[in-house]
């Protein structure tokens, strides 16, 4: 807010001084009989500056009004999101559980005189301020009054033990704040701090990123998510920060210091944390103690025995029901030192117990386990054993047959899948709590993704090249059958490089080359074609992979250049395989010379650029789902593609020129080389120039909605990039065709006697179509999250690790079973302790829950990525 406010103030002052100066000058001219015309003429140059000042002031005022309207549209979306989440989490079923609190110890908050002094600017009505921390206690809905009226600074820390109801209380506070919010006022937004790395990202940037992700349209991730950042800057977001304790211990003090810096005492906010973890920042073993500046602190209290008894009986159907009577042995021990009594003092344990032991409406209680089993101190000698048993029994209970919602997965299958997902979060993603479907790609072996994507592109390139070639032959009246299409191996190699770097380019070129070679064998009966086309695919796949990786966005700094001996050798080998292709057109001697020259160039390119290209293709950031296409010309991609095209074209022209001297075969002219270079540069530039953009803000974006939008964008990107790349080839080859008065299709490929086929406009069209279809698909795959999510879930389903329809499974686990919760566009386990429990290698032996046919647990191996999450303590 500071920079924009200072700019508006300067503009307003300049405007006032300019107008005042002009009026004063005219008045002086009239008063002293000066020449009015000369005075006005002298003042005219300042009119432009006055207009700029007025326009700036007006634009700033309009911007502020627009931001207020965005906030007004955001508030219903936030309320709708958390009302739905409260319903899914059954926070009001059978009724809101009474969570009470008291003032925390003095060391957790600021002194009361200091709070009053910080709030003397009149941010809250003084008459309602609490006289001291002792007046902050309350129950349930009182939290809204405590925050808005009793705490002078409106900065509150909510502390409590594991499962004590902190998040539940925050949701109630958020819904109450949205209900009393005035038009144009700040919007309360809940942020889960578990995904914030204070070492890598400032708090404001992270919150703006969360806003953009969870509420589509608030900003563009490529340009700094401007709208979300502007809402934060103009104090139109009231941050509710949940789960401070979920930040790893080494980073907590720095995180709290960053919160104090980004959200100073004048900014209202709410922070929740476990008591012990927050206390550690006040008395660290090393460093300076840190606490939230200008904040009061409250501590959640354990549930009272009468409230626990009433809640369990009411959830079981009422006081006089047989299901409620099943709880009598447990209720008799409440308030004592028995393990079950000490365990059932938090809302989380109470929820697990009701899910495991209480029947649902329409369900009989005869087949359910008996709550009296919890009183067995032999099986459960302490409260920890009771909690472990409830965690173990919770998932099978959530997936037992439901009277209204039949489940497609058995309890054993669901538990195995949930354990695998929990291990994925713990081991692969470094302990984060956010289960985002697009990040599941990190569980997929990188080589597997490259190989499958390369095979798909190779097959598509072969289908496109042979299909349009056949159509060209039919329309042009040629007898060459399938021989007139563009080289599928070259098309596949280029597309694979754009989609997935060197590895994908080699696989795509190899697939396209083998398929093309087999097609030519069937068409001509000549057995030399598979070796020749496969060699083309490998060479163009290697070069296309280097160019595609260098043109992609990825890590650039912090790594010095080194000669890559492995890539140098790979380049020499792939370039040398072109001997089989050159021999067909130029003979063995000229083919060997051309292959040696090409191998040398490829080896040089691999040694110089291979290390950086391998890093870029191996450490590409995980694609983030998008919901709309946009055009933003990528000069880096175009220049890299143009340089690569010039290098490939110049090498090809020089090699064919050398071979023509040895064999007497015709060589490609310089204009054809330039045509290929321009077409290549435009294709790569277009492939990286089109990308996704978020949609307008209308409602909170859920995971399923985001997946469906990403699927639609995949098709749009394929179509848009395909048409643009095809048009680029048509334009370049069409200009060259007109300039030369005709082109030749190829040397020796078109007919069985080695003659070149004249290239007609129909041939140029099939070239553009084949390149457009394949390169468009490659660009869509490289920017799309849906494709790799699909690969991952099918790969894990084949290993019988996760359900094949993972999207439906996650939605059911959230909406019907309550095992998962949803925060914006990502899922989370209902509680972080549940995630940690499921991530353990084996269930507790004391659970007593039958799990027939359970497969060996899958523990993913941690792989390094360029966006590695912060280490967990």
């Amino acid at each position: 807010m500071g920079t924009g406010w200072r700019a508006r103030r300067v503009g307003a002052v300049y405007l006032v001084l300019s107008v005042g100066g002009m009026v004063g000058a005219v008045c002086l001219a009239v008063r002293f009989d000066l020449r009015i015309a000369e005075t006005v003429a002298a003042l005219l140059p300042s009119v432009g500056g006055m207009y700029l000042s007025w326009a700036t002031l007006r634009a700033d005022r309009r911007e502020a009004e627009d931001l207020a309207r965005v906030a007004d549209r955001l508030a219903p979306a936030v309320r709708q999101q958390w009302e739905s989440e409260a319903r899914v989490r059954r926070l009001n079923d059978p009724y809101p559980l009474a969570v009470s609190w008291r003032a925390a110890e003095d060391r957790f908050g600021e002194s009361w005189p200091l709070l009053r002094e910080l709030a003397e600017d009149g941010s809250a009505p003084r008459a309602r301020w609490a006289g001291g921390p002792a007046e902050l206690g309350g129950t349930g809905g009182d939290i809204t009054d405590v925050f808005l009226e009793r705490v002078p600074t409106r900065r509150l820390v909510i502390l409590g033990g594991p499962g004590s109801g902190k998040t539940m209380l925050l949701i109630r506070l958020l819904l109450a704040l949205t209900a009393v919010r005035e038009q144009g006022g700040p919007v309360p937004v809940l942020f889960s701090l578990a995904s914030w790395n204070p070492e890598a990202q400032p708090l404001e940037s992270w919150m703006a990123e969360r806003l953009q992700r969870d509420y589509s349209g608030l900003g563009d991730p490529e340009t700094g998510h401007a709208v979300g950042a502007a809402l934060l800057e103009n104090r139109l977001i009231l941050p509710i920060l949940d789960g401070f304790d979920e930040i790893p211990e080494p980073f907590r003090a720095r995180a709290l210091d960053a919160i104090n810096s980004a959200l100073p005492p004048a900014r209202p906010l709410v922070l929740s944390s476990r008591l012990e973890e927050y206390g550690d920042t006040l008395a660290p073993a090393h460093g300076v103690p840190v606490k939230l500046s200008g904040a009061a602190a409250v501590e959640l209290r354990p549930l009272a025995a009468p409230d626990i008894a009433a809640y369990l009986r009411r959830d079981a159907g009422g006081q006089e029901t047989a299901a409620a009577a099943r709880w009598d042995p447990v209720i008799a021990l409440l308030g004592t030192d028995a393990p079950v009594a000490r365990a059932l003092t938090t809302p989380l344990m109470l929820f697990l117990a009701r899910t495991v032991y209480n029947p649902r409406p329409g369900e009989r209680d005869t087949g359910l386990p008996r709550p009296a089993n919890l009183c067995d101190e032999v099986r459960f000698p302490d409260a920890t054993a009771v909690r472990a048993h409830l965690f173990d029994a919770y998932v099978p209970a959530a997936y037992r047959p439901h009277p209204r919602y039949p489940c497609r997965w058995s309890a054993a299958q669901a538990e195995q899948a949930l354990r695998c997902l929990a291990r994925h979060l713990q081991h692969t993603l470094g302990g984060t709590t956010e289960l985002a479907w697009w990040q599941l790609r990190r569980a997929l072996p990188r080589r597997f993704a490259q190989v499958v994507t390369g095979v798909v592109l190779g097959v598509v390139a072969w289908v496109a090249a042979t299909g349009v070639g056949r159509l060209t032959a039919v329309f042009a009246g040629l007898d060459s059958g399938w021989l007139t299409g563009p080289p599928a191996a070259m098309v596949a190699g280029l597309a694979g490089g754009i989609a997935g770097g060197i590895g994908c380019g080699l696989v795509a070129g190899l697939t396209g080359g083998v398929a093309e070679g087999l097609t030519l064998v069937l068409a001509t009966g000549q057995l030399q074609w598979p070796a020749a086309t496969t060699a083309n695919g490998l060479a163009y796949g290697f070069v296309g992979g280097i160019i595609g990786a260098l043109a992609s966005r990825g890590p650039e700094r912090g790594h010095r250049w080194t000669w890559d001996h492995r890539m140098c050798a790979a380049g020499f080998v792939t370039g040398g395989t072109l001997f089989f292709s050159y021999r067909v057109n130029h003979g063995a001697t000229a083919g060997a010379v051309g292959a040696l020259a090409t191998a040398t160039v490829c080896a040089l390119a691999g040694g110089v650029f291979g290390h950086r290209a391998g890093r870029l293709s191996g450490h590409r950031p995980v694609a983030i789902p998008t919901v709309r296409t946009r055009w933003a010309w990528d000069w880096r991609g175009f220049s890299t593609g143009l340089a690569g095209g010039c290098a490939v074209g110049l090498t090809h022209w020089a090699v064919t020129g050398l071979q023509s001297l040895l064999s007497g075969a015709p060589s490609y002219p310089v204009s054809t080389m330039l045509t290929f270079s321009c077409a290549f540069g435009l294709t790569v530039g277009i492939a990286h120039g089109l990308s996704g953009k978020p949609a307008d803000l209308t409602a909170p974006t859920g995971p399923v909605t985001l997946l469906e939008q990403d699927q639609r964008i995949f098709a749009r990107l394929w179509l848009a990039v395909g048409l643009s790349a095809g048009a680029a080839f048509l334009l370049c080859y069409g200009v060259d065709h007109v300039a030369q008065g005709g082109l030749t299709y190829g040397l020796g490929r078109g007919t069985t006697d080695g003659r070149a086929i004249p290239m007609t406009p129909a041939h140029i069209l099939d070239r553009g179509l084949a390149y457009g279809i394949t390169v468009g698909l490659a660009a869509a795959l490289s920017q799309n999250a849906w494709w790799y999510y699909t690969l991952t879930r099918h790969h894990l389903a084949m290993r019988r690790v996760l359900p094949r329809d993972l999207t439906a499974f996650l939605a059911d686990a959230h909406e019907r079973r309550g095992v998962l919760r949803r925060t914006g566009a990502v899922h989370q386990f209902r509680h972080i302790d549940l995630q940690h429990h499921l991530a353990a290698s084996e269930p507790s032996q004391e659970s007593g829950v039958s799990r027939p046919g359970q497969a060996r647990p899958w523990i993913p191996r941690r792989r390094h990525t360029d966006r590695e999450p912060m280490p967990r303590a």
Side-chain angles (χ1 to χ4, degrees):
M1 178 178 177
T3 303
W5 180 80
R6 284 193 296 270
R8 290 192 292 271
R9 184 181 64 179
V10 171
V13 170
Y14 180 79
L15 181 62
V16 171
L17 292 177
S18 299
V19 173
M22 292 184 69
V23 173
V26 173
C27 291
L28 289 175
V30 174
R31 175 69 178 80
F32 295 103
D33 296 328
L34 300 178
R35 296 180 179 179
I36 300 297
E38 294 179 359
T39 303
V40 173
L43 294 174
L44 282 178
S46 64
V47 173
M50 290 176 57
Y51 171 75
L52 290 177
S53 300
W54 173 77
T56 302
L57 192 64
R58 183 174 135 190
D60 290 335
R61 185 179 295 111
R62 186 185 300 116
E63 179 185 354
E65 294 173 354
D66 291 342
L67 286 175
R69 284 196 292 269
V70 171
D72 290 339
R73 294 165 55 199
L74 176 63
V78 173
R79 184 180 66 250
Q80 175 188 347
Q81 172 192 356
W82 289 106
E83 284 178 346
S84 174
E85 194 63 23
R87 182 172 59 254
V88 169
R89 299 188 192 188
R90 300 174 65 188
L91 298 186
N92 301 318
D93 179 20
Y95 56 81
L97 191 59
V99 178
S100 59
W101 61 90
R102 62 192 173 196
E105 297 178 18
D106 293 341
R107 64 190 182 99
F108 292 109
E110 301 282 15
S111 66
W112 205 256
L114 178 59
L115 292 181
R116 296 181 65 91
E117 181 181 347
L118 291 173
E120 285 299 325
D121 60 352
S123 59
R126 301 183 187 180
R128 301 293 305 276
W129 288 355
E135 299 180 17
L136 297 181
T139 301
D142 295 341
I143 190 65
T144 308
D145 183 66
V146 169
F147 175 71
L148 290 178
E149 307 292 348
R150 301 188 208 174
V151 178
T153 56
R154 291 185 178 176
R155 291 168 69 88
L156 183 63
V157 179
I158 299 178
L159 304 173
S164 57
K166 297 181 294 295
T167 302
M168 178 175 66
L169 194 62
L170 291 182
I171 294 175
R172 290 178 180 171
L173 174 61
L174 181 145
L175 293 175
L177 290 176
T178 57
V180 301
R181 173 186 175 270
E182 297 179 354
Q183 190 172 9
V187 181
V189 178
L190 194 149
F191 299 92
S192 177
L193 290 174
S195 61
W196 176 41
N197 183 353
E199 291 291 293
Q201 194 173 21
L203 179 66
E204 307 96 309
S205 176
W206 172 77
M207 288 195 296
E209 185 179 279
R210 298 295 97 176
L211 286 170
Q212 182 273 326
R213 185 198 68 182
D214 295 341
Y215 306 98
S216 61
L218 282 181
D220 184 347
E222 299 270 338
T223 59
H225 31 271
V227 178
L231 288 172
L232 290 164
E233 182 183 356
N234 287 272
R235 303 191 178 187
L236 290 173
I237 298 295
L238 196 163
I240 299 178
L241 308 178
D242 185 25
F244 174 76
D245 54 277
E246 296 175 11
I247 298 175
E249 189 275 331
F251 303 99
R252 287 183 195 137
R254 278 171 280 185
L256 201 51
D257 182 65
I259 294 173
N260 287 331
S261 177
L263 304 171
R267 296 283 300 272
L269 69 88
V270 183
L271 176 72
S272 77
S273 174
R274 292 186 180 181
L275 184 69
E276 182 178 351
E277 284 77 356
Y278 188 78
D280 290 342
T281 64
L282 303 179
H286 306 284
V288 179
V290 185
K291 63 181 175 182
L292 186 63
S293 300
V298 296
E299 177 186 355
L300 300 188
R301 305 176 66 178
L303 297 175
D307 294 334
I308 299 173
Y311 192 81
L312 289 174
R313 285 170 172 159
R314 174 64 182 83
D315 185 70
Q319 183 75 26
E320 305 300 329
T321 62
R326 289 160 28 97
W327 286 101
D328 288 344
V330 174
I331 292 174
L333 295 176
L334 294 179
T336 69
D337 199 42
V340 65
R342 287 186 283 118
L344 296 181
T345 56
T346 65
L348 174 62
M349 290 297 112
L350 207 57
F351 171 80
L352 297 180
R354 64 181 277 206
T355 303
V356 173
Y357 295 104
N358 277 350
R360 301 185 181 96
E363 183 182 23
R364 296 179 178 272
D365 59 9
T366 53
L368 300 181
R370 302 188 63 82
N373 296 336
L374 295 173
C375 303
D376 186 353
E377 295 191 16
V378 176
R379 290 181 59 192
F380 310 114
D382 52 29
T384 302
V386 176
R387 295 188 189 100
H389 167 75
L390 291 176
F391 275 129
D392 277 341
Y394 170 59
V395 173
Y399 280 88
R400 67 177 182 247
H402 196 286
R404 288 186 299 165
Y405 307 118
C407 188
R408 297 163 50 186
W409 305 276
S410 67
Q413 291 173 328
E415 183 174 7
Q416 175 181 304
L418 291 169
R419 286 186 178 275
C420 292
L421 292 173
R423 295 185 188 111
H424 170 68
L425 295 177
Q426 288 296 119
H427 300 289
T428 307
L429 300 184
T432 182
T433 61
E434 295 191 344
L435 181 58
W437 60 262
W438 59 91
Q439 289 185 339
L440 195 66
R441 171 185 178 179
R442 294 184 179 178
L444 188 70
R446 181 168 58 89
R447 299 300 179 190
F448 178 84
Q450 287 184 334
V451 168
V452 175
T453 303
V455 169
V456 169
L457 286 172
V459 172
V460 170
W462 168 71
V463 171
T466 55
V468 297
R470 180 59 179 167
L471 291 176
T472 298
V474 171
F475 287 119
L478 301 175
D479 296 329
S480 51
W482 301 100
L483 306 178
T484 55
M490 297 181 183
V491 177
L494 168 62
I498 292 175
I502 297 173
C504 186
L506 289 175
V507 173
L510 179 64
T511 305
V514 170
E516 180 188 7
L518 293 177
T519 302
L520 293 177
V521 169
L522 294 176
T524 65
Q526 300 178 11
L527 299 179
Q528 75 269 25
W529 286 115
T533 55
T534 301
N536 283 336
L538 289 175
Y540 276 87
F542 179 80
V543 175
I546 289 181
I547 296 173
L550 295 179
S552 65
R553 301 176 180 90
E556 301 180 41
R557 300 174 184 175
H559 297 270
R560 62 185 182 87
W561 173 84
T562 57
W563 179 269
D564 194 324
H565 295 86
R566 185 172 60 88
M567 286 297 177
C568 176
F572 187 85
V573 171
T574 55
T577 58
L578 283 177
F579 165 76
F580 299 102
S581 177
Y582 292 151
R583 185 182 61 177
V584 174
N585 298 325
H586 302 284
T589 303
V593 173
L596 180 61
T598 305
T600 303
V601 174
C602 290
L604 183 63
V608 174
F609 301 110
H611 179 71
R612 183 164 179 267
R615 276 183 47 250
L616 291 172
S617 61
H619 299 286
R620 289 186 176 185
V622 175
I624 297 177
T626 51
V627 291
R628 196 197 307 168
T629 55
R630 65 155 194 183
W631 172 255
W633 181 253
D634 186 358
W635 287 105
R636 171 181 171 177
F638 173 71
S639 58
T640 304
L642 186 61
C646 290
V648 174
L650 182 62
T651 301
H652 198 53
W653 172 75
V655 169
T656 55
L658 179 63
Q659 290 173 331
S660 67
L661 294 177
L662 297 175
S663 63
S667 174
Y668 286 112
V670 177
S671 61
T672 303
M673 180 267 292
L674 294 176
T675 297
F676 178 81
S677 302
C678 293
F680 200 101
L682 282 173
T683 300
V684 177
I686 290 170
H688 291 283
L690 273 172
S691 60
K693 183 179 181 180
D696 293 333
L697 171 67
T698 55
T701 306
V704 176
T705 302
L706 207 59
L707 178 61
E708 294 172 349
Q709 292 170 335
D710 200 55
Q711 289 174 317
R712 290 194 294 268
I713 291 305
F714 174 81
R716 294 178 188 175
L717 279 174
W718 187 356
L719 179 63
V721 176
L723 290 176
S724 302
F729 268 88
L730 289 175
L731 176 64
C732 295
Y733 278 96
V735 170
D736 192 28
H737 178 79
V738 174
Q740 290 193 50
L743 296 172
T744 55
Y745 178 81
L747 303 178
R749 182 179 186 273
T751 58
T752 56
D753 57 2
R755 293 181 292 104
I757 297 178
M759 184 178 287
T760 65
H763 291 101
I764 298 175
L765 178 63
D766 73 36
R767 230 176 180 82
L769 287 175
Y771 274 97
I773 292 172
T774 313
V775 172
L777 176 60
L781 292 178
S782 68
Q783 299 186 41
N784 190 262
W786 161 80
W787 164 248
Y788 292 100
Y789 168 68
T790 303
L791 280 184
T792 304
R793 64 185 181 86
H794 281 286
H795 171 70
L796 296 179
M798 289 176 62
R799 297 178 58 189
R800 298 186 178 181
V801 171
L802 291 178
R804 191 172 302 276
D805 193 354
L806 183 58
T807 305
F809 175 79
L810 295 177
D812 178 78
H814 168 240
E815 298 171 2
R816 305 299 187 196
R817 314 300 158 188
V819 180
L820 301 179
R821 63 188 184 188
R822 203 187 83 191
T823 302
V826 301
H827 287 107
Q828 297 176 339
F829 280 91
R830 184 179 186 93
H831 195 273
I832 191 171
D833 287 347
L834 176 62
Q835 175 182 321
H836 292 162
H837 185 84
L838 291 174
S841 58
E842 293 293 341
S844 170
Q845 297 301 317
E846 292 294 339
S847 66
V849 180
S850 176
R851 294 173 177 81
Q854 195 164 4
R856 182 174 61 88
W858 170 68
I859 301 179
R861 291 181 297 175
R862 182 99 173 254
R863 295 186 291 108
H864 176 76
T865 61
D866 62 312
R867 287 190 178 181
E868 191 74 20
M870 61 181 173
R872 310 299 293 187

